Amino acid sequence: MENFFQKVRDEVKRMGKTVEDCPFRTRYHIMPPVGWLNDPNGLCQFRGVFHAYFQYSPLNVHGGGGYWGHCTSSDLLHWDYHEPVLTWDIPEDRNGVYSGSALIEDNRMYLFYTGNIKLPGDYDYIDKGRISTQLLVESEDGQHMSAKVKLLGMEDYPNGITQHVRDPKVWKEGNRYYMVLGARKRAWDASGARRDKGCVLIYVSEDKRLWKFFRELAPEKDFGYMWECPDMFCLEGRQVLSFCPQGLPSEAERFQNLYQSGYSLPVPGKDPEETFREWDMGFDFYAPQTFLSQDGRRILIGWAGMPDTECTQKNLSVENGWQHCLTIPGELSFKDGKIRRMPVRELFALPWRDAETERKCYHWEGQTVKLSCDRICSEELRIRLGSQENGMTVRVKDDMVELSFLDEAGKAALCGGGRGRRLGRTRKAAENLLILIDSSIAEIFVNDGEIVFTTRFYLNPQERDLEIHGQWKWELQVV
Ligand code: FRU
């Protein structure tokens, strides 16, 4: 496999300058050094340093992941990139080192992930042709990994589960370790037609190596055919199950993306659907993972992207040899029974300075922009990024927040790469808004993080104009 690492080094050398000069590179978001990135993996703080791994395809900008890239940071905003840490080098992961998580214990890092095999042939890759294995590696430094150890294979999953079983998230509770896996369960509707169900499987272990099946959490009612990237954690004393259901039909104000990601607060006897809330209302958000920082914060990072949308939702950075980034790390808290997500406090500690605005207009290029708005009247607030012909508009009226790339005739702006319009609603009226713009990503936090919109957009530096309409109080800062 030395060959793979050498190829990555050569690719970084070949494409490094083009990638670096790309106007869409961000400053505070995790990006692939070259090529493609998807899910965050193995998030943790280890010996004081934050480690983020990510699904990576350095040699193919359309690659769809399958390797683990690695970066580290002391503040969750400035990231140093290292060589990939996991590649396809044993039979069990020969078609991809898929997503997984980290557990830190006794000054050692344990990484759990799924090894994927797709057998060559004419298979459906649901019931036949796929092998999903859960594996473990250990590390002293986060960069060099021990040999891979198989923990669970097809023989260990309950009857009735298809071959889709992946994305282990592991945590410790008391003296035991728990692993939650996303899965697809065989099911049929009343007419006898096949209609699979997404679910999670939970395993338990005394030593992180020997795992026993503990339970399955499957909904009674249909809630998607597959659940990916599950996470289970405790937030302010409440149990939270986060997961990514695939196959939910779109509604006008819910489930507007191809695949969803959200959380429920499990209650015995209730389906997860009943308490399900989406993590994000923007175009680009999927596969989030959380971890606990050493100072006790529950921090969430998502992929600012969406699988299987490359032909409808283009990322204009592709021509410069890279695509996708992760979200700004968010701190989670509870309010009114809902989880709020705001950027980590480290973001607010950056040396922000007031922007010199002309009336309510501002032009920015390389800076990162933070716009805070507070409602002081019932008038609509409208913020335009870019121009009338090529821009994105954020509209806030009462409890409605809309993000749109469409002009009055319904034509989509170039800078959205095919993205149209997304809607979100707050419980009461929207009182405040924080918009963070880091080159090609906008993250909009409404009502102190009650709803969030994450969206990529691609304006060239000379097109980066911002205009505020409406009598709200606002403050614009840059760094
Ligand atoms: C989610 C996902 C995971 C899988 C990984 C592969 O985006 O499909 O379920 O482990 O991506 O890159």
Side-chain angles (χ1 to χ4, degrees):
M1 269 305 133
E2 199 35 49
N3 192 13
F4 167 77
F5 293 102
Q6 192 50 50
K7 279 193 191 153
V8 177
R9 267 174 238 139
D10 293 345
E11 185 64 2
V12 170
K13 224 184 259 163
R14 189 177 75 84
M15 286 304 293
K17 177 100 177 76
T18 313
V19 170
E20 205 178 297
D21 291 346
C22 175
F24 305 129
R25 290 300 269 183
T26 70
R27 290 165 71 207
Y28 301 114
H29 290 74
I30 294 173
M31 296 171 292
V34 63
W36 159 289
L37 159 153
N38 56 300
D39 314 358
N41 292 158
L43 303 178
C44 62
Q45 191 176 12
F46 181 45
R47 300 180 181 155
V49 176
F50 295 105
H51 291 255
Y53 301 88
F54 48 86
Q55 282 292 298
Y56 189 24
S57 305
L59 304 179
N60 181 356
V61 73
H62 307 286
Y67 300 89
W68 276 37
H70 181 210
C71 55
T72 51
S73 172
S74 58
D75 65 357
L76 294 161
L77 299 172
H78 299 87
W79 295 92
D80 292 322
Y81 292 87
H82 312 287
E83 297 225 294
V85 293
L86 293 174
T87 170
W88 322 2
D89 51 9
I90 57 165
E92 287 82 355
D93 62 20
R94 68 168 175 264
N95 301 121
V97 172
Y98 273 15
S99 285
S101 60
L103 177 85
I104 307 296
E105 196 175 32
D106 300 332
N107 231 355
R108 255 182 111 68
M109 184 189 284
Y110 299 84
L111 296 175
F112 300 85
Y113 73 94
T114 302
N116 187 49
I117 300 183
K118 277 177 104 175
L119 301 170
D122 183 21
Y123 295 113
D124 63 2
Y125 298 107
I126 300 169
D127 292 321
K128 293 201 171 70
R130 182 186 292 275
I131 303 173
S132 304
T133 307
Q134 315 311 324
L135 296 139
L136 165 67
V137 292
E138 296 177 37
S139 180
E140 300 276 346
D141 60 3
Q143 184 63 35
H144 300 92
M145 302 294 153
S146 70
K148 297 171 173 176
V149 178
K150 175 177 168 180
L151 303 177
L152 294 170
M154 300 309 286
E155 60 286 4
D156 299 304
Y157 309 134
N159 285 337
I161 298 291
T162 67
Q163 296 178 339
H164 281 284
V165 183
R166 59 176 167 271
D167 310 335
K169 176 80 197 283
V170 173
W171 72 99
K172 189 175 184 186
E173 229 176 277
N175 287 329
R176 294 176 141 188
Y177 305 90
Y178 293 87
M179 176 193 292
V180 62
L181 290 163
R184 171 172 180 156
K185 188 182 160 87
R186 261 174 235 119
W188 291 265
D189 68 13
S191 73
R194 181 79 180 262
R195 195 153 178 174
D196 289 356
K197 276 185 177 179
C199 67
V200 299
L201 305 177
I202 304 176
Y203 285 77
V204 61
S205 169
E206 312 263 325
D207 65 356
K208 303 187 279 285
R209 282 180 181 71
L210 215 76
W211 292 86
K212 277 202 318 230
F213 179 68
F214 179 60
R215 55 194 288 220
E216 174 187 301
L217 294 180
E220 266 311 306
K221 278 192 275 154
D222 245 21
F223 201 59
Y225 59 80
M226 167 71 192
W227 293 359
E228 293 190 309
C229 300
D231 193 350
M232 281 185 107
F233 55 89
C234 188
L235 182 67
E236 296 170 23
R238 256 168 290 187
Q239 195 65 37
V240 180
L241 169 66
S242 167
F243 59 103
C244 298
Q246 299 188 315
L248 299 181
S250 272
E251 297 172 16
E253 296 185 12
R254 279 204 323 167
F255 313 150
Q256 297 162 82
N257 288 331
L258 176 61
Y259 302 135
Q260 318 310 324
S261 69
Y263 65 89
S264 10
L265 307 172
V267 182
K270 265 196 184 177
D271 257 12
E273 180 185 3
E274 295 178 47
T275 57
F276 187 81
R277 297 202 75 86
E278 290 176 75
W279 281 119
D280 200 281
M281 302 310 291
F283 294 88
D284 299 275
F285 187 91
Y286 196 67
Q289 186 176 93
T290 72
F291 72 102
L292 202 59
S293 62
Q294 288 173 352
D295 60 7
R297 292 178 285 163
R298 179 58 61 179
I299 295 175
L300 177 146
I301 301 181
W303 170 28
M306 179 65 51
D308 305 332
T309 52
E310 261 196 283
C311 41
T312 52
Q313 211 162 287
K314 299 223 184 321
N315 295 305
L316 308 189
S317 60
V318 167
E319 53 201 65
N320 292 323
W322 69 283
Q323 98 162 299
H324 293 307
C325 67
L326 300 184
T327 66
I328 206 78
E331 279 182 39
L332 303 186
S333 63
F334 257 116
K335 197 172 171 198
D336 302 329
K338 285 195 214 168
I339 298 181
R340 305 230 163 178
R341 174 168 112 247
M342 284 297 276
V344 284
R345 57 199 66 171
E346 286 82 348
L347 180 85
F348 299 96
L350 290 173
W352 296 98
R353 57 192 160 77
D354 291 336
E356 282 173 30
T357 46
E358 216 169 284
R359 301 221 174 137
K360 291 176 175 177
C361 298
Y362 181 68
H363 178 77
W364 86 99
E365 295 200 354
Q367 306 93 321
T368 299
V369 176
K370 177 162 73 69
L371 171 65
S372 319
C373 301
D374 283 290
R375 177 194 175 96
I376 46 172
C377 69
S378 60
E379 198 182 310
E380 169 178 306
L381 170 72
R382 199 154 47 80
I383 294 156
R384 196 173 64 220
L385 307 174
S387 63
Q388 192 123 35
E389 298 71 45
N390 189 26
M392 168 173 117
T393 307
V394 182
R395 218 158 57 84
V396 185
K397 174 80 177 134
D398 304 326
D399 64 346
M400 193 256 350
V401 185
E402 181 202 66
L403 178 68
S404 175
F405 287 97
L406 306 179
D407 66 11
E408 268 149 32
K411 195 165 131 282
L414 220 63
C415 66
R419 292 163 182 82
R421 177 173 172 265
R422 289 290 178 266
L423 263 186
R425 245 174 237 282
T426 48
R427 217 161 72 136
K428 293 187 189 142
E431 296 289 342
N432 65 59
L433 205 68
L434 173 80
I435 305 188
L436 177 70
I437 304 163
D438 188 6
S439 179
S440 58
I441 182 167
E443 288 160 290
I444 304 167
F445 301 84
V446 188
N447 282 357
D448 305 313
E450 180 191 342
I451 57 172
V452 185
F453 291 73
T454 300
T455 288
R456 301 299 304 281
F457 70 119
Y458 299 89
L459 287 172
N460 284 310
Q462 66 275 16
E463 302 171 306
R464 294 183 185 165
D465 289 311
L466 183 155
E467 260 179 56
I468 306 166
H469 303 267
Q471 301 304 316
W472 286 43
K473 196 169 123 228
W474 53 275
E475 182 191 53
L476 187 64
Q477 292 191 310
V478 293
V479 69

